[in-house]
Amino acid sequence: MSKDTNHYADLRVDGARLWDSLMELARIGATEKGGVCRLTLTELDGQGRDLVSKWATALGCQIRVDGIGNIFMRRAGSRNDLPPVMAGSHIDTQPTGGKFDGNYGVLAGIEVLRTLEDRHIRTEAPLEIVVWTNEEGSRFVPVMMGSGVFAGAFTLEHALAQRDREGISVADALKDIGYAGQQPEAPVAVRAYFEAHIEQGPILEAHDTVIGAVQGALGQRWYDVSIQGQEAHAGPTPMEMRRDALLGAAQLIQSVNAIALQHAPHGRGTVGWIDNFPNSRNVIPGRLRLTVDLRTADDQILDAMDRALSEACRELEENSGLQVTLEPVVYFPPQAFDPELVGLIDQYARDLSYSVMPTVSGAGHDAVYLARVAPTAMIFVPCKDGISHNEIEDARPEHLEAGCNLLLHAMLHVAGVAIDTEASA
Ligand SMILES: [Zn+2]
């Protein structure tokens, strides 16, 4: 039995306290331009983890670290046999990262616990705030490493064996900062997982909307393409006798763009990296490698985009005399979030009088892996000009507060309020 959570409709987080905590964490690894450089499993990451753990301990939480260094900060409920209601994100950043990406999701969770503590509200199910290891994938690949191990996307052994450019393994880096924990013997059951996050895109801001009720994440297919032509002198070689790999690449880049545009509004197609050989002013390029990143919301459409890309490569070969090889390297299926939890976010946004719109995540998040093993939802709030992974990343305190209030009510709703909680709340 739990109390009617409508009783707590007036409950609100302390937005100023949330902001202060964000600014305090951002001092660890602060950059001159106002951003944060706190790469995963570095000494600075260790300091950030220590600070967040200290805040949770002060709230009476129990701290558990698993084999890949994910930190679970548990606030007991009245029925600790129930699976926990979780919220979390990551506190590692890109080399030129900002203060909010990831950090917001973790500290919004801490602020939820602080608010419940202030008001002496005990939930029925336990609550856990989680820091996932290496979401960014900047120092170690694969990205979303901690949540990926948790969700069984790859093994702990595989993750621990990965090395950075200096040859340091994940296993050693975890030991160095004191976060090599114990892997639980059985998978951990999760009642629900919530992740509050800045949008990292421009849509909420463009619609003057405070909350994005995230329906799911785009599926992704990544490829390596190599194009083989022939190097030759730029002067003596007539146009009709050339096998110009860079010219072929230019056509393929146009095709990638067209494939994405044909699948609007969620289709995305990007060639982000190119290696042209010999890259010399007066040599016809003879060899070229490039990457392709295709995304969309529906797996069948993603398959259609995949076929269109293969077709574009084949046509290029036929029309140009170039040799084109297309190698798939990454596949993430589109991931829908739990309709009931997404509905809950939408409903509470309306109840609390925040503007809200449905949205999809174009980027990967820990929540995308969690959705494979637990009912999951995300709460997006706007970030200035849609910019993140940048030192100028910025968000408005009132938006962060709004998202945190939704997190509070959604967690309370799912976890239930213990019957013996004082009525003063
Ligand atoms: Zn993030």
Side-chain angles (χ1 to χ4, degrees):
M1 276 265 316
S2 67
K3 276 192 175 179
D4 182 1
T5 47
N6 286 335
H7 186 69
Y8 301 93
D10 293 335
L11 195 63
R12 295 291 183 277
V13 302
D14 182 338
R17 182 168 57 186
L18 169 62
W19 182 262
D20 289 346
S21 294
L22 280 161
M23 294 309 115
E24 192 173 339
L25 182 54
R27 281 203 283 275
I28 302 173
T31 63
E32 268 177 23
K33 289 182 186 161
V36 178
C37 175
R38 202 167 54 234
L39 296 185
T40 192
L41 306 186
T42 55
E43 204 183 317
L44 288 172
D45 184 30
Q47 290 173 22
R49 288 162 169 260
D50 291 349
L51 178 61
V52 175
S53 302
K54 188 185 85 181
W55 284 337
T57 305
L59 293 163
C61 289
Q62 274 184 351
I63 313 281
R64 179 173 68 81
V65 178
D66 73 6
I68 193 62
N70 296 322
I71 309 171
F72 299 84
M73 299 169 278
R74 182 182 176 100
R75 183 178 192 262
S78 64
R79 288 203 39 203
N80 293 305
D81 55 316
L82 295 175
V85 174
M86 280 184 179
S89 197
H90 59 96
I91 64 166
D92 65 318
T93 76
Q94 292 286 333
T96 53
K99 303 183 189 78
F100 304 100
D101 178 0
N103 300 294
Y104 170 54
V106 172
L107 297 187
I110 295 287
E111 176 54 35
V112 166
L113 299 193
R114 284 173 173 162
T115 302
L116 297 179
E117 203 60 23
D118 287 349
R119 303 286 292 269
H120 308 292
I121 298 170
R122 177 72 36 199
T123 52
E124 200 172 39
L127 305 181
E128 286 191 8
I129 309 307
V130 191
V131 174
W132 303 109
T133 294
N134 184 30
E135 192 272 350
E136 296 288 2
S138 178
R139 181 180 175 199
F140 298 104
V141 283
V143 297
M144 303 184 289
M145 181 179 272
S147 52
V149 169
F150 184 84
F154 36 83
T155 63
L156 174 65
E157 292 66 36
H158 173 76
L160 290 175
Q162 300 309 305
R163 291 176 186 277
D164 68 5
R165 286 184 196 99
E166 262 97 67
I168 300 168
S169 71
V170 169
D172 286 341
L174 278 167
K175 280 187 207 119
D176 285 348
I177 62 164
Y179 280 87
Q182 277 296 320
Q183 194 67 355
E185 294 191 352
V188 177
V190 181
R191 170 65 188 87
Y193 176 74
F194 293 100
E195 185 165 347
H197 208 284
I198 55 167
E199 182 194 10
Q200 303 182 282
I203 297 170
L204 291 176
E205 196 174 62
H207 288 81
D208 202 15
T209 298
V210 176
I211 299 295
V214 189
Q215 315 285 302
L218 299 185
Q220 309 185 23
R221 285 188 181 275
W222 299 357
Y223 309 83
D224 287 339
V225 179
S226 62
I227 301 176
Q228 181 72 50
Q230 189 166 48
E231 297 100 77
H233 197 300
T237 319
M239 298 310 286
E240 66 278 10
M241 294 182 70
R242 299 176 175 210
R243 288 167 62 215
D244 182 336
L246 184 55
L247 183 64
Q251 290 168 14
L252 194 61
I253 294 166
Q254 293 279 5
S255 299
V256 167
N257 195 58
I259 290 166
L261 285 171
Q262 278 156 20
H263 296 94
H266 294 313
R268 314 266 191 272
T270 306
V271 174
W273 179 90
I274 190 165
D275 177 28
N276 179 48
F277 181 84
N279 215 24
S280 170
R281 183 188 298 275
N282 41 27
V283 181
I284 297 161
R287 243 190 298 149
L288 188 138
R289 294 180 300 152
L290 59 82
T291 59
V292 178
D293 175 325
L294 297 180
R295 304 186 188 206
T296 194
D298 176 294
D299 213 23
Q300 280 179 339
I301 296 177
L302 193 56
D303 282 346
M305 293 169 73
D306 174 73
R307 285 194 300 274
L309 179 62
S310 296
E311 181 64 14
C313 290
R314 203 185 54 78
E315 266 176 33
L316 176 61
E317 264 191 342
E318 274 177 14
N319 302 338
S320 64
L322 297 163
Q323 259 184 320
V324 183
T325 40
L326 175 68
E327 189 194 341
V329 289
V330 165
Y331 167 54
F332 282 109
Q335 180 67 58
F337 290 149
D338 184 76
E340 228 172 276
L341 295 187
V342 176
L344 200 62
I345 300 298
D346 184 79
Q347 187 54 49
Y348 275 117
R350 290 165 203 278
D351 290 353
L352 273 59
S353 305
Y354 299 133
S355 51
V356 58
M357 65 183 283
T359 179
V360 292
S361 173
H365 290 290
D366 294 310
V368 179
Y369 276 144
L370 264 290
R372 296 186 182 184
V373 292
T376 292
M378 291 189 81
I379 301 164
F380 274 180
V381 297
C383 56
K384 190 169 184 296
D385 302 323
I387 288 173
S388 80
H389 286 188
N390 189 317
E391 290 161 277
I392 64 165
E393 179 185 284
D394 201 6
R396 303 234 309 251
E398 62 271 29
H399 293 163
L400 299 169
E401 180 179 341
C404 190
N405 274 322
L406 287 188
L407 184 67
L408 167 70
H409 283 279
M411 290 183 81
L412 207 55
H413 181 102
V414 179
V417 175
I419 204 80
D420 61 352
T421 286
E422 292 164 40
S424 63

